[in-house]
Amino acid sequence: MIRCALHIYPGYEQPGAALAQALGCPTYPLHIHIFPDGESLIRTEGRAKTALLYASLDRPNDKLINLIFAAEALRENGAERIVLVCPYLGYMRQDKAFHIGEAVSQPIMAGLLSQYFDRIITVDPHLHRVSSLNAVFPNIEADALSATGLIASAIRGDTDLNDGILIGPDSESAQWVGAIAKITGQGMLVAQKMRSGDREVKISFPAIEGVSGRPAIIIDDMISSGTTARHCAALLVEAGASRVELIAVHALCDEADLLRLSVAGIEHVRSCDSVPHDTNAIILAPLLAAALTKEL
Ligand code: R5P
């Protein structure tokens, strides 16, 4: 039996192939048949001692059950170790019950995955009140990588952005903006955000006049509906930024949301390829491959 293989969930063929190439390991597609009643039948191909399963958990509900079926099938067929390569890991934000009766999705989902996988590797998970990914997954190996180095390289490689100011749209984004600013040496400005609904936020900036006449680069971990970035951009445009760009690790928004970002004055949106998206511009394969070489 071969040592290691990468099994790719439908939809992730491109980033999966880039990772396999970086690792130099064979790939196999995961086959999913949906029965007329909505149940799914999973079929895996290929056998290896260590199975890497590639799927992000954007739109996660169906994927969760399919991944569990796949992991069990791989184990039945001889895999001794199963690693979930999950560049975007959903359900990280619900780390407490915000209202009485709410399910705390984060630990529930982590507990479920921990029963079937030996290791999980992800990129910039949205950890808020929990200090580390190991605290979310105490029973398996868990690696939280960061795309900040790759994002900093993208900024450095773009002459339009060299004299730009890095913008964090809320206090949580300060960790990513700060890490990137340390590498690029650029100035940064972090806004305050109050959210009152899925698509309702209020953003306020201290000392926004500093952006006047300069490019403003909004950095966030994710673009979900785009509401945060849209409101942030409107204020930056009003304050006289010479151009506004947006770079996010994970892009989850749809086409209509992208259009709204453009209307708000964002000239260019870039994301990492954790979730296949029109804005993908930063390839995560080298980052993921470096963390996975020990599996080969
Ligand atoms: C929240 O704290 C995150 O860092 C993002 O700012 C947020 O999830 C973006 O969501 P949306 O695009 O819906 O405003």
Side-chain angles (χ1 to χ4, degrees), residues 93 126 170 172 193 195 198 220-228:
R93 283 175 286 184
H126 191 95
D170 53 28
E172 289 167 332
K193 176 169 88 180
R195 186 181 283 281
D198 289 345
D220 209 352
D221 62 331
M222 69 179 92
I223 313 167
S224 189
S225 66
T227 307
T228 300

